[in-house]
Amino acid sequence: MKKILLTGVDFYSPNRGVGALSYGAISCLLRKEKNIEFGLWNTLGFGGSSIEKQKIKDFEEKLPFYQTNIFYSFYMLFLSFLVKILPKTMKPLILQASSYLRELAKYDFVVDLSLGDSFSDFYTWKRAILNSLTKFIPYNLGQPIYMFPQTIGPFRTKFGTAICKKSINLVDKVYAREEISYKVTSKLLKDKSKLLRAADMAFLVKPDENYNINFLTADEKCKYVGINISGLLYNDKRRFEILKKEFDYKLVLKEIINSFLSNGNTKIVLIPHVYSFKNDLPNFYDDLRAIKDFKSGLPEEIKEKVILIENDLDCKELKKITRLCRELKIDK
């Protein structure tokens, strides 16, 4: 039986894309090998470390879930370095110093996701360190590391670039899911043969067929168009910094919706991507808040044709909704 450790995963993230990536990675691996024992490992900031079990859809048994904060992760890095440089006979003795490292060392190889877009210093320097530790530690333990399709970069600081460059060159294979990441990664890697292109693993996520979509109409000819409104673009004044250009986001959304509705028997489904009911998400990140505010400002005749998804759904349930939506041709 293969033992595979997934790092940088989160099946319950407010960002449903991270959940989709996590489920997609498992689906991808199970296509190649059915007999796999999975483990989950996330490096945290300054919170507590823990070893627990996590329930994942489609798995009868809970999966081991290891969380290590930045301080304990550095401690594991030190111990793993000793494993690397000292005689092999010393390895069992060194691993006795950390129950976490002892557990992680049992896996055959590591599959890294870096939460989809966190192998970067764009958010904070801390993210760059945390998502580099998940490369340094397994490398010292002699475990192969594969970075599955994700966004890599951008890098804004010399420190972030240096640490990520060092860690990514320890990886056996790196998969970029879009062209910008491919170009960024090619500048970081010494061995270009390690870099490959691959599709986003969210395409491998299977819809939750048990979820009942209750907004269907009796009119089978009605077409549904799914649109996500980004809370970050809708509310955050850093739009210019992020996109390198400014525009009227609300006006663009209205024009898009009007274009689709001009195609006749059509309804718009506003689908949040990043949202939470636990009040643990800044308002400017929350898609659902943005969607509610946007819909409240629409004319009444448009509101009647706009459906709001506001239930607490996971990525598999949202996948069933997005599968319902179909592409429409817009008259220019």
Side-chain angles (χ1 to χ4, degrees):
M1 175 183 288
K2 290 282 186 182
K3 292 175 67 70
I4 301 176
L5 183 65
L6 301 176
T7 72
V9 297
D10 191 345
F11 295 88
Y12 299 98
S13 170
N15 186 333
R16 285 6 181 228
V18 178
L21 225 60
S22 302
Y23 278 110
I26 285 182
S27 297
C28 177
L29 292 164
L30 289 175
R31 285 187 174 195
K32 289 291 185 180
E33 175 67 50
K34 296 298 182 184
N35 199 17
I36 299 177
E37 184 178 324
F38 289 104
L40 314 174
W41 173 34
N42 278 356
T43 47
L44 306 169
F46 303 105
S49 299
S50 64
I51 300 177
E52 53 192 59
K53 296 280 188 177
Q54 190 172 87
K55 177 62 180 173
I56 307 299
K57 272 190 175 181
D58 303 327
F59 281 80
E60 292 183 5
E61 298 183 359
K62 294 182 178 180
L63 302 183
F65 183 35
Y66 314 98
Q67 296 189 92
T68 55
N69 64 30
I70 193 168
F71 303 114
Y72 198 87
S73 295
F74 270 110
Y75 174 59
M76 292 199 303
L77 177 63
F78 170 70
L79 293 177
S80 70
F81 181 69
L82 295 181
V83 170
K84 184 175 182 292
I85 64 173
L86 295 179
K88 291 184 178 180
T89 53
M90 296 290 293
K91 181 177 179 179
L93 182 61
I94 297 169
L95 293 180
Q96 287 302 313
S98 168
S99 58
Y100 290 84
L101 192 64
R102 188 166 62 249
E103 287 297 313
L104 298 182
K106 294 178 181 179
Y107 291 87
D108 297 308
F109 62 88
V110 173
V111 170
D112 170 85
L113 299 180
S114 298
L115 298 176
D117 66 350
S118 290
F119 191 71
S120 166
D121 65 354
F122 176 76
Y123 297 103
T124 63
W125 58 267
K126 184 176 67 178
R127 291 256 191 126
I129 292 176
L130 291 172
N131 289 291
S132 291
L133 286 168
T134 57
K135 285 78 172 169
F136 288 128
I137 294 170
Y139 174 79
N140 287 341
L141 295 176
Q143 296 166 309
I145 310 163
Y146 302 91
M147 290 180 68
F148 267 27
Q150 57 187 273
T151 298
I152 298 169
F155 298 100
R156 303 294 176 89
T157 66
K158 291 182 178 179
F159 172 76
T161 303
I163 191 170
C164 288
K165 183 176 182 179
K166 179 68 175 178
S167 64
I168 201 171
N169 276 283
L170 305 178
V171 174
D172 292 78
K173 290 290 181 184
V174 183
Y175 298 89
R177 63 182 177 181
E178 25 76 18
E179 192 61 26
I180 295 177
S181 291
Y182 187 90
K183 291 178 180 178
V184 170
T185 308
S186 65
K187 294 179 181 179
L188 298 177
L189 284 175
K190 296 177 181 178
D191 183 355
K192 311 298 183 188
S193 67
K194 291 182 177 182
L195 177 59
L196 298 167
R197 292 180 174 86
D200 195 307
M201 288 178 299
F203 288 111
L204 297 176
V205 176
K206 296 180 180 179
D208 186 346
E209 300 298 349
N210 294 321
Y211 172 61
N212 181 34
I213 301 176
N214 56 15
F215 61 77
L216 287 172
T217 66
D219 185 359
E220 295 181 356
K221 295 182 179 180
C222 182
K223 298 175 181 178
Y224 296 92
V225 178
I227 296 178
N228 167 254
I229 295 178
S230 167
L232 186 61
L233 294 180
Y234 191 87
N235 295 310
D236 198 345
K237 300 305 180 183
R238 294 179 300 166
R239 273 197 304 269
F240 181 80
E241 178 187 347
I242 295 168
L243 300 174
K244 299 302 179 186
K245 59 182 177 181
E246 184 58 279
F247 60 93
D248 190 332
Y249 188 52
K250 295 180 183 179
L251 178 61
V252 171
L253 289 169
K254 290 177 181 178
E255 290 179 348
I256 291 173
I257 287 175
N258 287 332
S259 296
F260 280 119
L261 291 179
S262 67
N263 282 270
N265 195 7
T266 303
K267 289 193 175 182
I268 303 297
V269 185
L270 297 181
I271 306 173
H273 179 79
V274 181
Y275 65 112
S276 174
F277 288 83
K278 299 178 181 178
N279 296 320
D280 57 351
L281 193 65
N283 289 349
F284 61 84
Y285 277 127
D286 197 314
D287 292 357
L288 186 55
R289 289 176 182 269
I291 286 173
K292 287 181 176 179
D293 182 78
F294 176 76
K295 184 179 178 180
S296 67
L298 293 175
E300 290 301 323
E301 65 272 16
I302 300 296
K303 282 184 184 178
E304 295 175 357
K305 301 176 182 179
V306 175
I307 299 167
L308 173 62
I309 302 300
E310 54 184 330
N311 297 331
D312 189 6
L313 306 179
D314 62 28
C315 63
K316 286 176 170 281
E317 293 164 332
L318 289 176
K319 183 67 175 283
K320 186 172 182 180
I321 293 174
T322 57
R323 189 178 64 176
L324 169 74
C325 303
R326 60 184 70 175
E327 184 178 355
L328 293 178
K329 180 181 178 182
I330 303 178
D331 295 329
K332 295 184 180 180

